[in-house]
Amino acid sequence: MHSWRQDCCCGDCARTDPTARPGRLAEARLRELAEIGHVEVYRYRTLPVWRVIRLDKTLYVSVFDTDWEGHESATYKVLATPYGPLYRGWRRMVDAMVDDAERVI
């Protein structure tokens, strides 16, 4: 574990300092990226279990758990396949989360 930093995005800081805002550094970098390209970032309202990054028709999925944050877990690339339901299910779930989420970028 590292010492608390104001700009930390790991989530550990939020557990040690309740006033810290997790993801602050990550959001700052994404705002910079949005200045040169189309970027949308949403904060969903449910318990953070999944970390999902959607780039066009590709999903990158990892999981949050009590023992590790999303950036510490394996990331899986989920693609559409002609007869596979996994991508369609993830896409529906992400679309539903976005519909109910707060857009921050």
Side-chain angles (χ1 to χ4, degrees), residues 72-87:
E72 296 173 326
S73 66
T75 300
Y76 300 91
K77 183 177 183 178
V78 182
L79 300 168
T81 58
Y83 302 105
L86 186 60
Y87 176 82

Side-chain angles (χ1 to χ4, degrees), residues 9-75:
C9 64
C10 75
D12 288 333
C13 294
R15 284 193 283 275
T16 58
D17 180 0
T19 64
R21 190 170 144 230
R24 187 173 168 176
L25 180 61
E27 285 182 18
R29 298 296 82 81
L30 289 167
R31 286 182 202 287
E32 291 172 2
L33 185 60
E35 292 175 7
I36 59 172
H38 181 77
V39 175
E40 294 181 18
V41 177
Y42 295 85
R43 188 172 296 125
Y44 50 92
R45 303 175 199 286
T46 60
L47 177 68
V49 175
W50 301 107
R51 179 180 185 207
V52 181
I53 299 169
R54 180 170 54 181
L55 302 173
D56 297 324
K57 293 185 176 186
T58 303
L59 298 175
Y60 295 91
V61 181
S62 60
V63 68
F64 289 92
D65 192 14
T66 55
D67 296 332
W68 65 82
E69 294 294 321
H71 69 278
E72 296 173 326
S73 66
T75 300

